[in-house]
Amino acid sequence: MTIPPDDRTFRREMATAYRSGWHFIDLVTAIPHCGDSLMVTLFGDPIVVAREEDDEVRAYRCLRKPRGAPQPVRCAIRYDMIFVNLDRRDHQLFEPEAISATPRSA
């Protein structure tokens, strides 16, 4: 794959990817058909990247616990390359805090 040296958009996106915790996994052509998957180990975490029935590419972290279900991992495709983000802070679901208000009595 050749990249023109003056492609500023590509260089900017690559800099953002590496700075923000995104890691390159493989090219999209590694999983061309629905149901195809690819397993890699990234920083000691086994990651499964799969092309699912809706033709979307998704990534999952495999847990080592006996009954643990795979955890979804943020996955993005840029320039036909698959990137994943393993930063656990990006995967936490934050629920809005309930604000309790005491009504004033008249």
Side-chain angles (χ1 to χ4, degrees), residues 39-91:
M39 185 165 201
V40 296
T41 302
L42 189 61
F43 300 115
D45 285 336
I47 306 293
V48 174
V49 181
R51 184 176 294 272
E52 297 191 352
E53 303 264 339
D54 57 357
D55 206 36
E56 290 290 323
V57 176
R58 293 190 176 92
Y60 300 94
R61 175 185 284 126
C62 299
L63 298 178
R64 299 182 193 276
K65 297 177 184 176
R67 294 187 201 152
Q71 294 177 338
V73 175
R74 287 183 62 193
C75 181
I77 298 174
R78 295 287 185 264
Y79 297 98
D80 289 334
M81 295 183 285
I82 302 169
F83 291 90
V84 296
N85 190 335
L86 296 182
D87 191 1
R88 293 181 193 270
R89 292 173 294 174
D90 286 344
H91 307 296

Side-chain angles (χ1 to χ4, degrees), residues 17-57:
Y18 286 115
R19 185 173 53 246
S20 65
W22 288 92
H23 303 284
F24 170 72
I25 298 296
D26 205 339
L27 297 175
V28 176
T29 56
I31 48 175
H33 306 291
C34 292
D36 289 348
S37 64
L38 173 70
M39 185 165 201
V40 296
T41 302
L42 189 61
F43 300 115
D45 285 336
I47 306 293
V48 174
V49 181
R51 184 176 294 272
E52 297 191 352
E53 303 264 339
D54 57 357
D55 206 36
E56 290 290 323
V57 176

